[in-house]
Amino acid sequence: MEISIQKYGGSSLADDAQVAAVAQRVAQAHRSGSAVVVVVSARGATTDELVRSATAVSDVPDPRETDKLLATGELASAALLAIALQDLGVPAVSLSGPDAGLRAVGPPGAGVIASIDTGTVREWLGRGHVVVVAGFQALDDDGAVVTLGRGGSDTSAVALAVAHGAAVCEIYTDVRGIARADPRVVPGAGLLPELPAGVMAEMAFSGARVLHPRSVELAAAHGVDIVVRDSSGLGDGSTIFGGRTMLDSDVLEGRAGVVAVTHDEQVTQVLVDAGCDLVEGSARVLEALARLEIPVDSVQWWSHPGAPLRMRFCLADSAADEAAAAVREELACTVALRRDFGRVCAVGTGLLSRPGLTALGLNALSAAGITAECVACSQARTTYLVARDRVHDAVRTLYERFGLDQHDLAQHDLEGSRTR
């Protein structure tokens, strides 16, 4: 049985007219002979409203009960879409994540999908039904509902594609595809029609919010392509290749370079001063954060014989206080938080082996009066930490300096930049 996996974001289901329009598109796919599984997010700002309600009745809402509460947003979307499909004469059934066989491990709010039992979904598909699955949720080992983190419906959709042997997972959202920069910051930012999963993963982790980072990793690990397009279904959108090896030449015409600029304004830099050995101290800091499943970026440390360890790294604003408390408890050290930074990243391939590209970005920022307080480089991403109130200026500066507003990206590798 060939299965079509479609996912619709909350902005695509925000009002009743949009739900009806999505139902029409799903019905068309069903009538074409496809076995269709649709994954949905909560409508509009439903999740934010549920979080607000939880914090209104409790200063510290119980995490397990909060996950149950948040899961209701996706359940409502799934049931509503199933009703709309039935009204069109299409047999449809809504399932929760646990009903659809999704099992997860990990704490409330940060579950990681461990397995999927395909039996129930297959049974309904075999009866000719469209199966509408509530995303963002799964069942943990204790039989409780656990959510998968913000954007987790993307991960639900890709995981179902993997489990059911689909070659492609279609993600329908409120954007035309994967842009080279946030169109709200760079109006008219061009689209990347095709890109490797590795590049998309770097974009997602560094601030591009079109896809949940774990969904891209999952697609790459299991050979699933992701197509991102506007929820209207119009346009080709962007294809992230996880199903086959994609040569750099497919997206960069055979040359290393920058293909996108991402940003994140909700970043805190953590500075640690600890009177302990460099190796022991840095490892213990990272282990303490790993126990809390807090991802970090731009990690640096330095010391010399007889001097205390000094370490700094970046993480999400929302995790800063918890991380600082954990590090203080682990090492009994001094921890300071810098909340006045934002992260701007040049993403592409071959960046570490072309240090001139990093210099090009630094010079452009400096010419614009923007100081990069910290720079971290890898082959796929160069991260510039800048003042939070200059993040948008930095994005526009790098977008222009790397020539992303022009169609021929090959003109803007290092050699091309030296001719200017």
Side-chain angles (χ1 to χ4, degrees), residues 94-121:
S94 67
L95 299 177
S96 69
D99 290 340
L102 277 74
R103 304 292 181 263
V105 296
V112 176
I113 295 174
S115 65
I116 296 180
D117 182 343
T118 61
T120 300
V121 170

Side-chain angles (χ1 to χ4, degrees), residues 115 269 318 365 381 388:
S115 65
Q269 187 183 54
S318 59
L365 293 174
R381 172 159 56 100
R388 190 168 295 196

Side-chain angles (χ1 to χ4, degrees), residues 36-331:
V36 184
V37 176
V38 183
V39 178
V40 293
S41 299
R43 303 176 76 191
T46 298
T47 302
D48 291 334
E49 285 299 313
L50 292 171
V51 170
R52 185 202 61 75
S53 295
T55 55
V57 300
S58 171
D59 291 335
V60 186
D62 178 75
R64 188 175 187 272
E65 298 304 324
T66 299
D67 267 12
K68 283 186 177 181
L69 176 67
L70 297 185
T72 64
E74 279 70 19
L75 289 172
S77 291
L80 190 61
L81 182 56
I83 291 169
L85 285 164
Q86 291 168 3
D87 192 61
L88 296 174
V90 176
V93 62
S94 67
L95 299 177
S96 69
D99 290 340
L102 277 74
R103 304 292 181 263
V105 296
V112 176
I113 295 174
S115 65
I116 296 180
D117 182 343
T118 61
T120 300
V121 170
R122 289 278 177 163
E123 181 180 349
W124 282 108
L125 291 175
R127 297 181 190 176
H129 283 60
V130 169
V131 178
V132 186
V133 179
F136 177 60
Q137 58 190 258
L139 198 70
D140 70 11
D141 291 338
D142 296 324
V145 173
V146 60
T147 63
L148 308 178
R150 284 299 184 118
S153 292
D154 293 340
T155 305
S156 298
V158 173
L160 284 165
V162 170
H164 290 279
V168 178
C169 180
E170 301 173 71
I171 306 286
Y172 292 90
T173 183
D174 58 354
V175 297
R176 296 180 298 123
I178 308 301
R180 302 187 199 279
D182 188 336
R184 293 169 296 185
V185 178
V186 182
L191 294 184
L192 284 161
E194 299 179 344
L195 65 163
V199 172
M200 185 67 241
E202 290 289 344
M203 292 178 65
F205 274 111
S206 60
R209 306 193 187 281
V210 179
L211 288 175
H212 193 276
R214 292 210 318 265
S215 70
V216 183
E217 290 187 327
L218 189 61
H222 294 276
V224 172
D225 293 344
I226 301 175
V227 176
V228 178
R229 59 166 62 97
D230 187 271
S231 56
S232 67
L234 301 176
D236 294 332
S238 299
T239 299
I240 297 99
F241 287 102
R244 64 175 173 83
T245 301
M246 185 182 182
L247 300 177
D248 287 347
S249 58
D250 290 333
V251 68
L252 299 176
E253 299 189 7
R255 301 188 183 189
V258 175
V259 300
V261 177
T262 61
H263 73 282
D264 188 350
E265 295 166 274
Q266 299 178 346
V267 172
T268 296
Q269 187 183 54
V270 181
L271 299 98
V272 179
D273 283 300
C276 59
D277 175 78
L278 167 64
V279 175
E280 178 193 0
S282 56
R284 287 175 64 186
V285 167
L286 295 176
E287 287 169 353
L289 298 173
R291 286 194 292 272
L292 296 173
E293 300 190 14
I294 297 175
V296 297
D297 191 24
S298 302
V299 181
Q300 298 178 321
W301 58 70
W302 58 103
S303 184
H304 57 82
L309 165 71
R310 300 186 65 203
M311 183 178 184
R312 63 186 180 186
F313 50 86
C314 293
L315 40 69
D317 284 349
S318 59
D321 291 332
E322 184 181 21
V327 172
R328 290 190 187 103
E329 182 178 353
E330 179 70 27
L331 291 182

Side-chain angles (χ1 to χ4, degrees), residues 393-410:
D393 294 333
V395 171
R396 288 186 283 265
T397 296
L398 294 179
Y399 186 86
E400 179 179 353
R401 192 65 187 94
F402 287 119
L404 301 184
D405 53 342
Q406 300 185 30
H407 295 295
D408 185 5
L409 295 180

